[in-house]
Amino acid sequence: MAAQATVGSPFVSPPAAFDELRIRLAEVSDVQHASGLLFWDQRTKMPPAGSEGRAEQVATLGRIAHERFVDAAVGRLLEELRPYEDSLPRESFEASLIRVARRDWEKATCVPPSLTAEMRRAGALGFRAWSEARAASDFSPLAPHLERNLELKHRYVACFPPAEETYDILLDDYEPGMKTAEVRAVFDELKRELIPLVRAAGLPEPTPLLELPRDGQERFARRVLDRLGFDERSWRLDETAHPFMSSPGSGDVRLTTRWEPGLNWLFGAIHEFGHGVYEHDIDPALARTPLGGGVSLGLHESQSRTWENLVGRSRPFWRFFYPQLQDAFPEHFGGLSEDDFGRMTNRVEPSLIRVDADEVTYNLHIILRFELEQELIDGRLEIAELPGAWNERFEEYLGIPVTSDREGVLQDMHWGGGAFGYFSTYSLGNVMSVQIWERMLVDLPELDEQFARGEFAPLRAWYGEHLYRHGRKFTPQETLELACGSTLDAGPYVRYLQAKYAAG
Ligand code: ZN
């Protein structure tokens, strides 16, 4: 019985093959996390001239992790463990580990390691080209990298059995099990409901962006994060050009933000906190296994959007923090009422940059990208036509013209870095965030009072119990159902936006 003391099920003690599988998977996880640390470093600390060397390192680690994982010995162990898996409850750690590892293994063995390495190298070089193209607002140096990334994606897609739509195979890497047609149905509903909301909001008078001192921004952001649950023993906050969260190991969560005019330095930091708290609160017993991460990008984004919007833009949240904000920046907020501040941080205003967009227009930014990347993949749109197509459709959906590629097609790193199929997960996250939030409110009716007192631990504990702790044990669809009791449904999100923005 001793062999199963930590996380075992009480039914059968694990055979030696299970321990061997765990050791092999832990090594793969270590290599992947080391690669994640290089990614974090590239985007926060590394001088620009390091990018070629870094591209080689990332490609090498990616190849090693891939080769170790697809090793025939792993396949043999997974086969050998079938009877053991069948003897266990499905939700047990052991059965989940074997099931998820087998699914990952079957997918990974379709792709030759040399192609994985080529995609990683091309992505790292494309990322650098994107940074330079964006700085110069010149699409042309990025174009050949996009061509290369797309060509590699087609080789990647060809590794798998044909799908209903080519895009399904790319989407599956970010939102396993989701089909393009399901996303399209949800997005069509969002488009139908949100374009009128945006039109109704009209174009408000542009207000000059607040210029808050950088030191004050950082002090205040840290104060808010501390209250939400940031703890210096396992969390960091650093500056970057394009904010993200990285967790290069258990007990190591790294947030980034960008100190800048306006308030997005704060909402961005809270957004990344939402990603971080998901990773941090996964059951520690799942660390160094394929189960020890967020289950899909959509569910991950549901948490960043929960903390950023449903928590961080709520009135009860600011009932607690607004006096502190006024204290921190008396010149800027001393004469502004809490109500006016609430309206300012929640107004609907079509703008050019996705990461600065409000809750309503944000989804239109995503739908635009979702449509364009499908057209690129299907060959209906040439790379050279991309900036023009972007500008035209952007104006159609958001009602404002795009004035430069820097503020248009060059604003995001995803395509340059080789990520096609990723964007839709942002809006899927918005949709799921409200589905789960509605379910949580049933259990935590005192939430507003708790926020107003600066208490966020009950909320975090609820999400930990119902979502975070599961990691990748279940499929994204099963995980969503465990958290909220239903499957993907745009209805709650649309009603939430309509109610919030009708109230003004
Ligand atoms: Zn995010």
Side-chain angles (χ1 to χ4, degrees):
M1 291 302 282
Q4 53 170 18
T6 46
V7 284
S9 90
F11 300 95
V12 192
S13 41
F18 184 77
D19 295 332
E20 194 188 335
L21 179 71
R22 270 198 84 165
I23 291 167
R24 285 177 174 270
L25 296 176
E27 279 182 3
V28 172
S29 163
D30 291 344
V31 175
Q32 287 168 336
H33 281 101
S35 183
L37 185 57
L38 294 183
F39 171 92
W40 173 84
D41 175 77
Q42 179 174 15
R43 282 156 173 76
T44 54
K45 307 286 177 196
M46 191 188 78
S51 57
E52 300 228 359
R54 182 55 47 88
E56 296 303 331
Q57 295 159 1
V58 169
T60 299
L61 286 184
R63 182 170 45 74
I64 291 173
H66 187 86
E67 282 170 353
R68 290 208 159 230
F69 183 54
V70 300
D71 195 307
V74 174
R76 271 198 305 276
L77 290 169
L78 289 168
E79 250 340 277
E80 198 180 315
L81 286 165
R82 273 188 200 274
Y84 174 59
E85 181 193 357
D86 292 341
S87 75
L88 298 168
R90 188 173 185 278
E91 67 282 4
S92 68
F93 167 77
E94 291 87 349
S96 302
L97 180 67
I98 297 166
R99 179 178 67 246
V100 171
R102 181 180 297 115
R103 196 165 58 222
D104 290 352
W105 188 85
E106 283 170 355
K107 193 165 171 182
T109 46
C110 292
V111 184
S114 59
L115 177 57
T116 307
E118 263 186 275
M119 290 195 300
R120 280 175 192 269
R121 191 182 298 111
L125 294 174
F127 173 78
R128 186 187 61 173
W130 164 77
S131 311
E132 290 167 3
R134 177 171 174 263
S137 193
D138 178 6
F139 182 74
S140 52
L142 179 63
H145 291 274
L146 293 183
E147 294 281 6
R148 173 78 179 142
N149 285 343
L150 274 182
E151 176 203 326
L152 291 168
K153 283 294 165 202
H154 281 290
R155 282 171 53 194
Y156 178 74
V157 165
C159 297
F160 297 94
E164 193 128 318
E165 300 186 47
T166 306
Y167 193 83
D168 285 347
I169 292 167
L170 302 179
L171 184 63
D172 195 77
D173 286 347
Y174 306 109
E175 203 60 30
M178 183 74 75
K179 297 286 172 262
T180 313
E182 294 173 77
V183 179
R184 195 178 293 122
V186 166
F187 284 8
D188 283 348
E189 182 174 351
L190 291 182
K191 215 157 97 175
R192 195 168 57 238
E193 302 294 339
L194 298 185
I195 289 180
L197 262 188
V198 174
R199 295 272 186 272
L203 283 178
E205 285 294 299
T207 49
L209 277 180
L210 293 161
E211 293 278 355
L212 304 174
R214 188 212 174 285
D215 288 5
Q217 290 181 25
E218 181 161 0
R219 256 197 314 277
F220 189 77
R222 287 185 183 277
R223 175 186 287 197
V224 170
L225 293 175
D226 282 347
R227 196 83 202 178
L228 297 181
F230 181 104
D231 168 352
E232 279 184 355
R233 283 171 306 175
S234 49
W235 298 68
R236 287 186 60 89
L237 174 66
D238 294 272
E239 186 179 6
T240 191
H242 200 98
F244 65 97
M245 183 283 305
S246 172
S247 179
S250 186
D252 181 353
V253 176
R254 302 175 184 219
L255 311 182
T256 60
T257 193
R258 182 164 64 194
W259 310 117
E260 59 187 338
L263 285 168
N264 280 321
W265 51 272
L266 177 63
F267 291 114
I270 300 174
H271 177 102
E272 300 308 336
F273 173 83
H275 285 302
V277 74
Y278 187 175
E279 291 289 323
H280 186 275
D281 291 357
I282 291 171
D283 182 351
L286 308 184
R288 299 182 72 224
T289 79
L291 308 180
V295 69
S296 74
L297 289 190
L299 272 151
H300 234 297
E301 194 68 6
S302 80
Q303 293 316 294
S304 55
R305 301 298 276 178
T306 291
W307 287 87
E308 176 192 355
N309 290 328
L310 304 175
V311 178
R313 288 181 204 274
S314 72
R315 296 298 176 99
F317 175 92
W318 284 106
R319 203 142 305 136
F320 180 74
F321 281 115
Y322 193 58
Q324 301 181 34
L325 186 74
Q326 288 181 305
D327 270 357
F329 307 103
E331 278 173 51
H332 301 84
F333 300 109
L336 186 70
S337 74
E338 192 190 308
D339 267 359
D340 286 340
F341 177 78
R343 271 188 286 276
M344 186 179 102
T345 51
N346 281 292
R347 66 187 196 155
V348 178
E349 182 176 15
S351 61
L352 292 167
I353 305 295
R354 173 183 65 86
V355 294
D356 296 341
D358 60 77
E359 283 178 284
V360 178
T361 57
Y362 188 91
N363 303 286
L364 299 174
H365 288 260
I366 297 306
I367 293 169
L368 166 85
R369 288 157 175 78
F370 171 69
E371 293 175 352
L372 290 175
E373 62 183 8
Q374 285 176 74
E375 290 168 28
L376 287 171
I377 290 292
D378 294 346
R380 285 176 281 148
L381 184 68
E382 298 291 326
I383 294 288
E385 301 165 338
L386 179 60
W390 176 289
N391 296 349
E392 196 177 304
R393 209 166 312 177
F394 190 92
E395 191 162 358
E396 184 189 332
Y397 292 171
L398 284 125
I400 53 173
V402 178
T403 45
S404 71
D405 284 345
R406 184 189 158 86
E407 293 186 305
V409 70
L410 292 176
Q411 64 183 273
D412 289 313
M413 66 172 146
H414 302 61
W415 293 336
F420 290 86
Y422 187 121
F423 277 122
S424 52
T425 64
Y426 290 121
S427 281
L428 293 175
N430 284 335
V431 166
M432 293 190 266
S433 73
V434 179
Q435 288 187 261
I436 302 170
W437 184 262
E438 284 192 350
R439 174 63 191 84
M440 175 279 300
L441 285 176
V442 175
D443 291 345
L444 300 182
E446 312 266 286
L447 197 71
D448 285 0
E449 292 78 5
Q450 289 165 348
F451 282 11
R453 292 194 297 266
E455 293 168 14
F456 302 95
L459 180 76
R460 177 174 174 176
W462 190 94
Y463 278 95
E465 172 65 22
H466 292 84
L467 174 59
Y468 305 156
R469 71 185 171 96
H470 299 311
R472 293 182 73 228
K473 276 177 81 174
F474 307 104
T475 67
Q477 294 74 21
E478 290 166 344
T479 307
L480 177 66
E481 284 205 57
L482 279 172
C484 74
S486 60
T487 54
L488 186 69
D489 174 10
Y493 179 57
V494 166
R495 286 194 296 277
Y496 155 81
L497 289 178
Q498 285 167 338
K500 180 167 177 177
Y501 291 96

